[in-house]
Amino acid sequence: MLPYAVQLALILSNPFTKAVFYYDASGYHRGLFQLPLYVICFYYVGFGVVYCLFFKDVLLRNLRFSLYLFMIICIGSSLYQFFHPLYLIENFAITFCLLLIYLNLQRPEDFIHDHTGALNDYAFSKNFLINQRTQRQNRILFLCIEELSVLNYTFTPEKVLLLLSAVTTKLEHASRQSVYYLGNGAFAIMYKSQKPYSTDALLKRIKSIFESSWDIDSSKIDLEFRTLELSLPKHGPNLETVYLYLEYLQELDNSNHWSLSADDISIFDTARRQQVEAAMKWAIDNDGFEVYYQPIYSTGKNSIASAEALIRLRTEELGFIPPDEFIPLAEQNGMILKIGHIVFDKVFRFMSENSLNKKGIEYVEINLSMIQCMQEGLSEELISLMQKYHIDGKHINLEITETAAATSPKMLIQNMTLLSDQGITFSLDDFGTGYSNITSLLNLPLSIVKFDKSMIDMASGDDTGKMILDSSTAMIKQMNLNIVAEGIETMLQKETLVQSGIDYLQGYFFSRPVPGPEFLKYIEEFNCV
């Protein structure tokens, strides 16, 4: 401000001092102190250049270009007029540049949410970036209205918008700050972090405005909400992290906590979920999924007679991602159908190209998720792929979980029936994990039951476990079903299960899941093909 004060003093006192310029009978003349005004001008232009470079990520490109152009023309015209005083082009050039800047300025409406009157998410991101560049010790308070979907279902859209507008007004009054509306019932307040008790006072004022009902267009509405406080830059090193905290708050299911602090929670799970979902999307688009095969030993033939196809995902950023992590996510976001088709296609092609049936492989097991079981077009999809790769249905076995089988939906039974007509067999996976239901075995067209590893371990540990295994084996055998025992790791387990009459054995004792080429080499060596 000091250079500006000096400049202002020189100009205001000029009628008396004639220090900057003056007129006489011969015309216009420069005063002794006009040169300092040019120095001050160049000082502010230089300051402006530094400021624009510092905030280049915040300014729009067109506006940034206009500001740089303004500075160049300002310096150029000032220098020209300094050496040629009779050509008064400086003010004209500056006026032209101001017009250019004005035309590139954003309208205030671009920063306002259309229906609530609050600042929008665009304004929030811009102000956050400014805060990040200046490294201010500020705080963000997120406020999320619970069950907004219920309000949208109960009231008209116009009434809900009136409600959100009223919330905005009261939040602005209570916080004495600008309020941002980020959509889906989420508000944000960004304020200075000056005193440790400032947040407590703010929360107290906000809580008071929600204690009574909201009278909106002759309707009384009670609102519940939750809040989350962040300290900047501690909890918000970047905008992505800040939005992860907001997503965490929005996903809470009617939390008992009225207010939360970022110190008390971890957003690792949310961040990891987004990374894994991005990895799955990349793998779908770029053929990034692999199929591994785990050999299954036939106790009757003393050879590798089948295999289980298992999907694998590995990326440069995350490394190996376990199936029990990305499969549930894929079921939640709907990617499982595309992933399932990829697995079917890769397995059928592998079987066709390598003639597995001629190498002693009776069938290949492929896992089905519950969502796949419910798909009306599942049978048509598999039949089409079988025709494409000339695969006989008897060489395919589809695994369903006990959880899916226990529900016995009509679509599952319909799909199983249609595929069974094509020769495809079915196995019940994870038998013995706690969901066992004999009714499921009786109602579904199954040919194989897979004993879970926990059941095998229990049988190896004590006589009671062995008795349960033997009785379960006898019961299933009476139903004319074959049995696969999973999780075989020792020779003792193998010998015990062979004596118990188990048909097939699968586990690390024989082999870990391996890529296709390694699986081919393994069965050639084991089976002496």
Side-chain angles (χ1 to χ4, degrees):
M1 293 299 294
L2 181 60
Y4 177 77
V6 172
Q7 182 184 45
L8 186 62
L10 287 174
I11 293 175
L12 292 178
S13 63
N14 185 74
F16 310 103
T17 63
K18 297 181 172 48
V20 180
F21 66 91
Y22 63 92
Y23 289 93
D24 61 16
S26 59
Y28 170 83
H29 301 278
R30 294 177 175 177
L32 296 176
F33 287 91
Q34 191 168 87
L35 181 59
L37 295 185
Y38 279 94
V39 173
I40 292 172
C41 170
F42 294 148
Y43 165 78
Y44 279 114
V45 170
F47 183 85
V49 170
V50 173
Y51 194 84
C52 287
L53 290 173
F54 190 73
F55 289 102
K56 63 180 180 180
D57 296 336
V58 179
L59 299 172
L60 293 176
R61 187 174 66 175
N62 290 345
L63 179 58
R64 193 165 65 244
F65 172 78
S66 300
L67 290 172
Y68 290 147
L69 184 63
F70 172 87
M71 296 166 191
I72 293 171
I73 293 178
C74 179
I75 293 175
S77 62
S78 297
L79 286 174
Y80 186 86
Q81 187 169 325
F82 180 78
F83 292 106
H84 302 84
L86 296 180
Y87 296 96
L88 305 179
I89 66 168
E90 182 181 22
N91 287 341
F92 173 78
I94 292 175
T95 302
F96 171 77
C97 291
L98 288 174
L99 175 62
L100 188 63
I101 292 174
Y102 174 78
L103 294 176
N104 284 284
L105 283 175
Q106 289 182 278
R107 302 177 306 155
E109 292 82 357
D110 295 336
F111 296 90
I112 305 298
H113 188 266
D114 291 337
H115 302 293
T116 65
L119 294 174
N120 57 22
D121 53 352
Y122 178 73
F124 178 79
S125 62
K126 287 293 183 182
N127 287 338
F128 175 83
L129 291 175
I130 293 174
N131 181 88
Q132 185 181 44
R133 283 303 180 90
T134 56
Q135 296 183 344
R136 296 172 183 166
Q137 299 295 319
N138 285 357
R139 285 192 173 103
I140 295 176
L141 183 70
F142 286 128
L143 183 146
C144 185
I145 295 176
E146 294 183 356
E147 299 181 350
L148 184 65
S149 58
V150 176
L151 294 176
N152 287 327
Y153 179 79
T154 307
F155 302 101
T156 63
E158 293 78 10
K159 189 167 291 189
V160 174
L161 290 175
L162 285 174
L163 175 63
L164 294 175
S165 178
V167 171
T168 299
T169 301
K170 290 199 174 184
L171 285 177
E172 288 176 341
H173 178 74
S175 65
R176 305 180 184 93
Q177 303 287 339
S178 296
V179 173
Y180 304 84
Y181 182 65
L182 307 180
N184 296 322
F187 295 84
I189 302 171
M190 194 180 303
Y191 57 101
K192 293 182 179 179
S193 177
Q194 295 177 335
K195 299 177 182 179
Y197 55 82
S198 58
T199 300
D200 293 337
L202 176 59
L203 288 173
K204 186 177 180 180
R205 292 196 298 269
I206 291 176
K207 187 175 181 180
S208 66
I209 69 176
F210 283 88
E211 289 178 345
S212 56
S213 299
W214 297 72
D215 190 359
I216 305 297
D217 195 20
S218 302
S219 298
K220 289 192 177 295
I221 304 174
D222 293 321
L223 294 180
E224 297 292 337
F225 70 99
R226 48 186 177 265
T227 63
L228 175 61
E229 176 206 356
L230 286 72
S231 295
L232 301 179
K234 177 182 177 181
H235 301 124
N238 52 59
L239 193 59
E240 291 76 14
T241 302
V242 169
Y243 276 115
L244 285 177
Y245 277 108
L246 176 59
E247 182 178 340
Y248 176 92
L249 183 67
Q250 290 177 313
E251 290 183 352
L252 288 178
D253 187 13
N254 295 330
S255 171
N256 294 325
H257 298 285
W258 178 76
S259 61
L260 296 169
S261 172
D263 288 326
D264 303 326
I265 64 174
S266 171
I267 59 167
F268 174 78
D269 291 341
T270 303
R272 174 71 178 184
R273 173 176 179 149
Q274 291 187 341
Q275 292 173 334
V276 172
E277 287 182 338
M280 287 191 293
K281 186 177 185 305
W282 173 87
I284 290 173
D285 296 336
N286 298 277
D287 192 26
F289 286 107
E290 295 182 85
V291 175
Y292 280 38
Y293 298 86
Q294 185 170 29
I296 298 177
Y297 172 80
S298 170
T299 59
K301 296 183 178 181
N302 193 28
S303 65
I304 300 300
S306 59
E308 181 177 1
L310 300 164
I311 190 169
R312 294 292 183 261
L313 175 59
R314 186 185 303 274
T315 67
E316 292 183 4
E317 297 80 8
L318 302 180
F320 175 72
I321 305 173
D324 58 0
E325 180 179 11
F326 72 81
I327 292 296
L329 285 180
E331 291 178 335
Q332 294 173 17
N333 59 31
M335 293 185 190
I336 191 64
L337 298 179
K338 292 182 179 180
I339 295 174
H341 181 82
I342 291 172
V343 173
F344 290 141
D345 188 85
K346 286 181 175 290
V347 172
F348 287 9
R349 184 170 67 247
F350 179 75
M351 294 174 63
S352 176
E353 291 176 351
N354 296 283
S355 301
L356 294 186
N357 59 313
K358 296 180 180 180
K359 294 180 170 60
I361 302 302
E362 300 170 359
Y363 63 89
V364 175
E365 297 178 355
I366 306 174
N367 291 279
L368 280 183
S369 73
M370 181 181 293
I371 294 178
Q372 288 175 290
C373 293
M374 307 297 182
Q375 293 302 305
E376 186 174 355
L378 176 65
S379 57
E380 288 81 357
E381 177 186 4
L382 289 176
I383 292 171
S384 175
L385 287 173
M386 289 166 57
Q387 294 173 347
K388 176 181 177 181
Y389 292 106
H390 307 289
I391 301 295
D392 192 325
K394 68 181 180 181
H395 298 307
I396 300 295
N397 178 271
L398 300 179
E399 291 188 19
I400 61 174
T401 65
E402 283 199 88
T403 306
T407 58
S408 298
K410 292 182 179 179
M411 187 55 64
L412 170 61
I413 297 177
Q414 178 180 322
N415 279 325
M416 293 181 71
T417 302
L418 291 173
L419 292 172
S420 295
D421 292 340
Q422 300 295 319
I424 292 177
T425 58
F426 289 86
S427 59
L428 185 68
D429 197 13
D430 300 331
F431 185 87
T433 57
Y435 297 97
S436 302
N437 190 333
I438 303 303
T439 306
S440 302
L441 304 181
L442 297 174
N443 291 341
L444 299 176
L446 298 170
S447 62
I448 296 173
V449 173
K450 300 192 73 172
F451 285 174
D452 186 73
K453 182 181 183 300
S454 61
M455 192 172 179
I456 307 304
D457 292 340
M458 183 174 60
S460 303
D462 54 47
D463 294 338
T464 303
K466 181 66 166 58
M467 182 178 64
I468 294 174
L469 176 68
D470 290 340
S471 60
S472 298
T473 301
M475 176 190 66
I476 293 173
K477 284 293 185 179
Q478 289 179 357
M479 299 170 66
N480 295 319
L481 299 176
N482 290 324
I483 300 173
V484 176
E486 297 180 294
I488 312 307
E489 297 178 345
T490 66
M491 175 61 77
L492 178 60
Q493 287 179 326
K494 175 191 173 183
E495 293 175 349
T496 301
L497 294 170
V498 170
Q499 294 174 1
S500 298
I502 304 296
D503 303 285
Y504 299 96
L505 305 179
Q506 177 182 355
Y508 286 178
F509 176 78
F510 299 98
S511 173
R512 293 173 177 270
V514 293
E518 293 185 33
F519 172 72
L520 294 175
K521 182 179 179 181
Y522 179 85
I523 59 175
E524 287 176 359
E525 294 175 353
F526 196 102
N527 294 348
C528 299
V529 176

